[in-house]
Amino acid sequence: MSDHQDDSPDAPAAAVSAALTEQMLHLLNRFHEERRKLEQRTFRFYEDDEEG
């Protein structure tokens, strides 16, 4: 995300689009990883709560 080369007005639209798509995929993957971690923590919390 720190690559500002694609932000220049001379950058071809396809390059900018590819960079944005790559960033969005990275963020989406990160979102799913974090959600999975949260679900695991929540499941463990309720599992421990039921045991006593």
Side-chain angles (χ1 to χ4, degrees):
M1 284 196 229
S2 62
D3 186 7
H4 294 287
Q5 220 170 358
D6 293 335
D7 295 340
S8 71
D10 299 330
V16 173
S17 179
L20 290 174
T21 300
E22 184 179 343
Q23 289 176 8
M24 289 301 297
L25 288 173
H26 172 76
L27 291 172
L28 187 61
N29 287 336
R30 179 74 187 268
F31 169 78
H32 286 298
E33 289 173 13
E34 294 299 322
R35 186 175 69 176
R36 185 171 47 246
K37 289 177 190 176
L38 178 61
E39 288 173 349
Q40 288 172 351
R41 285 194 305 262
T42 302
F43 179 75
R44 281 196 301 263
F45 173 79
Y46 283 114
E47 193 176 61
D48 291 343
D49 192 41
E50 288 177 359
E51 291 176 0

